Amino acid sequence: MKPLLLALVAGFPSAALAQETPSPDQNETEEASQPQEQSKFVGRYDGNSFETAMGMIVREDGTFQWGLSVGGLDLRAKGTWQEINEAIVLKSEPKPVPPEFTWSAVEDAQDGPFLRIQWADSGEPFSFADVRGLCANGELILTPVMDGKWSPGDTCDKPETIELYLRSYQVLSGPFKLSGNRKVREGQTIVFDFHRNDLGVADFDGVMGQLVDGELRLESSLGNMTLRKLTPPTAE
């Protein structure tokens, strides 16, 4: 389990959690946070299941932290919360900026690929996307990018529209219309940038949940989640 998730479900603070948690004088959401010491939602939650690590802290000062790790996917969220009509309502603060693909340039490259994808901040090849789209002859495109480069196969005469898709984090671009685009000519390579932004930070604005029989049941764009409320350790 990742250090942050261990800290979220453990009964004691850790260095990993301290790094993720701003001190009061650094916390930009301090004014928006309202103490709710008596709320039943305050506590630590464990959402671990087979091959999935998930944890959450709901604090008395009106802030929360959440983390998820499953396969190659790692997500986190933090912000403020309120109890409204027996339900917890979450708000991400600061609001995350979603990652995105953008059209960067067109390069002259007679023997180059049809397109390249690179990290916007470094220019290094980005090899984690799929290309989806439609060819002029009606063939559908759904192929992975290899080493940051892609060209249509033998069955696709000419791509008309494409989208770039990062499956693991559900990042979808475009669509980019290529048919009739005066910027694109034979013997050129289209360059796309992938902007990391807040990759791995989930937007919890409007996420709501209820505490039923010791389980926090959250409804979000990521799907329904169930986390067990942990009993605080007793002092010896």
Side-chain angles (χ1 to χ4, degrees):
M1 193 184 302
K2 303 295 175 62
L4 174 58
L5 291 172
L6 280 170
L8 288 173
V9 300
F12 53 88
S14 76
L17 184 56
Q19 292 174 1
E20 290 285 333
T21 308
S23 59
D25 59 340
Q26 295 172 327
N27 194 337
E28 297 177 357
T29 64
E30 183 177 11
E31 294 183 1
S33 304
Q34 297 297 324
Q36 302 193 54
E37 294 89 347
Q38 304 305 316
S39 174
K40 62 184 178 182
F41 290 104
V42 171
R44 295 175 181 265
Y45 296 85
D46 179 3
N48 293 334
S49 61
F50 181 68
E51 295 186 347
T52 299
M54 180 166 57
M56 186 172 180
I57 299 176
V58 177
R59 298 189 181 88
E60 294 179 349
D61 65 358
T63 65
F64 77 91
Q65 273 185 276
W66 171 91
L68 168 72
S69 181
V70 53
L73 178 66
D74 292 296
L75 291 174
R76 62 191 185 280
K78 65 179 180 179
T80 59
W81 65 276
Q82 288 184 305
E83 181 178 346
I84 303 176
N85 297 329
E86 297 294 313
I88 187 171
V89 181
L90 307 177
K91 180 179 180 181
S92 287
E93 291 195 26
K95 188 174 178 63
V97 179
E100 63 176 341
F101 295 95
T102 61
W103 181 300
S104 176
V106 178
E107 300 175 338
D108 290 326
Q110 287 294 333
D111 298 323
F114 184 82
L115 64 81
R116 285 196 306 110
I117 309 176
Q118 62 186 14
W119 290 93
D121 54 358
S122 68
E124 294 295 318
F126 183 87
S127 302
F128 307 101
D130 292 334
V131 179
R132 312 195 316 186
L134 180 67
C135 301
N137 61 1
E139 288 290 326
L140 295 177
I141 304 168
L142 181 53
T143 56
V145 173
M146 305 298 292
D147 299 322
K149 302 174 183 179
W150 178 85
S151 293
D154 296 336
T155 60
C156 179
D157 56 348
K158 185 178 181 181
E160 286 198 333
T161 303
I162 62 170
E163 296 174 321
L164 305 178
Y165 182 47
L166 177 57
R167 185 184 304 273
S168 56
Y169 286 91
Q170 300 292 298
V171 181
L172 181 64
S173 76
F176 298 104
K177 187 175 181 180
L178 306 179
S179 178
N181 192 324
R182 296 180 180 179
K183 295 181 180 179
V184 183
R185 300 190 302 272
E186 292 292 334
Q188 292 185 319
T189 295
I190 308 169
V191 182
F192 294 94
D193 285 344
F194 178 75
H195 300 264
R196 185 188 307 271
N197 296 333
D198 291 324
L199 179 66
V201 181
D203 188 350
F204 267 38
D205 273 5
V207 170
M208 299 180 64
Q210 292 186 320
L211 194 58
V212 180
D213 296 330
E215 293 183 339
L216 180 60
R217 301 174 184 177
L218 297 175
E219 298 180 1
S220 76
S221 60
L222 301 173
N224 295 335
M225 295 178 282
T226 300
L227 301 96
R228 300 172 297 280
K229 188 172 186 181
L230 299 177
T231 302
T234 55
E236 296 182 357

